Amino acid sequence: MIKWYLLDNLPLYNMNELEELRNISIHSILGLRNDGKTQMICCPFHNERTPSCAINSNNTFKCFGCNKSGGGAIDFVVACGLSFRDAVNELKSYL
């Protein structure tokens, strides 16, 4: 049985599909190689000259400059400024 959910007056989303999108590697979105280590990058959420955003091998991120953090691809893309709906549509191209 497929469960469908209405999120904040948005279209119905299949929870299995949302879980697949959430599990897309943040490394693949950024074009990084996931070598099992934490990688530091310049934060995409604010301007800076030195890397302060950690992308972890367990698909979480944390910026020590602006303090944004989360887990999964949807959280990352939403933190970059897209709405939830736009983030889902953008990530579908990675499946």
Side-chain angles (χ1 to χ4, degrees):
M1 180 170 121
I2 297 176
K3 293 184 179 180
W4 297 88
Y5 294 89
L6 182 64
L7 301 172
D8 299 329
N9 296 325
L10 295 174
L12 294 173
Y13 289 104
N14 177 329
M15 290 306 289
N16 293 334
E17 180 182 28
L18 288 179
E19 189 63 27
E20 284 180 32
L21 293 174
R22 185 181 177 281
N23 289 331
I24 292 171
S25 171
I26 296 171
H27 290 85
S28 66
I29 294 170
L30 296 173
L32 300 173
R33 184 174 46 104
N34 187 354
D35 57 4
K37 299 177 184 173
T38 299
Q39 295 183 341
M40 299 298 291
I41 63 168
C42 288
C43 182
F45 316 124
H46 70 278
N47 292 329
E48 64 182 358
R49 287 187 238 160
T50 58
S52 68
C53 185
I55 309 295
N56 299 308
S57 60
N58 62 351
N59 216 28
T60 60
F61 64 93
K62 165 90 170 125
C63 176
F64 297 97
C66 65
N67 210 28
K68 286 192 180 182
S69 62
I74 295 175
D75 287 347
F76 185 80
V77 176
V78 168
C80 287
L82 292 179
S83 68
F84 180 82
R85 180 189 309 210
D86 291 339
V88 167
N89 290 333
E90 180 72 27
L91 290 171
K92 283 182 181 180
S93 66
Y94 288 91
L95 289 179

